[in-house]
Amino acid sequence: MKRYSLILALCVGSLTTTAQAQTTQTLKFWNLTSETITELKLAEPGTNKWGKNQTLNDKDKTVEADERLKLSDVKPGIWDVSMKDKKGRKCVLRNVTLSGTEAYAFSISEDEIKTCPRK
């Protein structure tokens, strides 16, 4: 009986560890624009309640062209994204899907922001 209890405890512990690993996954943003991004914030769709500036997660507090950035305090799902680049272009992208299963959660490309105003 003790042997079965030990096996059961090991199985439950393994499942718990797997579930915790899934909820603490690292999500990354990929900057596919030609500019350095100086501000990147996310909000639940339609709320305009922007979270923290994600670029602060980077050593130099920016996300250069073709650079990837670890995101914090967000989970996979649908989000609105506000970004600002070094040249002053500001843009809000609505209903962006953050994937939890890909190499990066989401990216922003030049095509997606070509209509955003510059200073």
Side-chain angles (χ1 to χ4, degrees), residues 18-68:
T18 300
Q20 288 172 341
Q22 288 175 347
T23 58
T24 59
Q25 68 197 72
T26 300
L27 300 180
K28 292 184 180 179
F29 161 71
W30 188 4
N31 180 8
L32 295 176
T33 73
S34 60
E35 300 297 334
T36 298
I37 295 176
T38 58
E39 187 175 283
L40 184 75
K41 297 180 179 182
L42 290 90
E44 291 184 22
T47 65
N48 290 329
K49 294 181 181 177
W50 302 107
K52 74 172 204 158
N53 181 0
Q54 296 288 329
T55 65
L56 300 178
N57 297 337
D58 192 71
K59 289 179 186 177
D60 67 0
K61 311 297 185 229
T62 65
V63 188
E64 296 169 355
D66 198 36
E67 185 178 3
R68 288 145 185 91

Side-chain angles (χ1 to χ4, degrees), residues 25-28 71 75-79 96-107:
Q25 68 197 72
T26 300
L27 300 180
K28 292 184 180 179
L71 303 173
K75 59 184 187 248
I78 307 296
W79 294 84
V96 175
T97 299
L98 270 66
S99 172
T101 60
E102 303 297 323
Y104 54 92
F106 78 106
S107 63

